[in-house]
Amino acid sequence: MSQTYTVRAIPDGKYWALEIPELDQYTMATNVKEIRSMAQDFITVVTGEQNPQLNIQYAIPNEVEESIQLKAEAQRLEQEAQHKQRQAALSLHSNGMTLRDIGALLGISYQRVHQLLRTTVSA
């Protein structure tokens, strides 16, 4: 079983300093997309371990972390709202309500109601 290595990614001007406490070593990455591969390659060179597991921790301001968390929560809530909207449209339609009336109640177009019902039926 491979060891999990902590990688602390610390912005340093145009680069990212990557601290790996388990090895008491540092390396660099030029951008966020490079952090994982640079850390994995560095650990492989130092330890010989292939495909090491990483726990990447970003040293970023709190407002950035909060923004990321809020964005994830907004996406989750949007998915939940879409699911509930489908359920509501299906329920109203099964009670004989027209697509236009359902749309007016849900604040969406009757075309969107039609899409929701079609998606629900085919799902």
Side-chain angles (χ1 to χ4, degrees):
M1 183 169 171
S2 64
Q3 177 178 345
T4 299
Y5 294 89
T6 300
V7 177
R8 292 191 186 114
I10 306 158
D12 187 13
K14 293 182 179 183
Y15 301 96
W16 288 81
L18 308 179
E19 177 188 8
I20 305 164
E22 291 85 357
L23 302 176
D24 196 26
Q25 297 277 330
Y26 286 83
T27 189
M28 299 288 287
T30 57
N31 58 55
V32 171
K33 289 182 179 182
E34 226 182 45
I35 290 172
R36 180 170 296 281
S37 64
M38 290 298 288
Q40 284 180 324
D41 291 349
F42 182 80
I43 293 167
T44 297
V45 167
V46 171
T47 67
E49 185 176 342
Q50 298 296 314
N51 300 316
Q53 299 298 311
L54 304 180
N55 174 19
I56 300 176
Q57 300 172 349
Y58 296 92
I60 51 180
N62 287 339
E63 55 269 9
V64 176
E65 183 63 34
E66 289 171 4
S67 171
I68 292 167
Q69 290 174 358
L70 286 171
K71 178 71 173 174
E73 178 67 8
Q75 289 172 337
R76 186 193 67 74
L77 288 171
E78 178 63 26
Q79 288 175 343
E80 185 179 337
Q82 288 177 4
H83 176 73
K84 295 289 185 183
Q85 197 172 57
R86 275 189 202 93
Q87 289 178 326
L90 185 59
S91 176
L92 294 170
H93 189 257
S94 68
N95 286 324
M97 193 172 287
T98 67
L99 300 184
R100 288 187 189 276
D101 284 346
I102 295 169
L105 284 172
L106 297 178
I108 58 177
S109 69
Y110 74 90
Q111 295 95 333
R112 180 65 182 135
V113 173
H114 186 267
Q115 289 174 337
L116 289 172
L117 294 175
R118 189 177 64 231
T119 301
T120 303
V121 170
S122 64

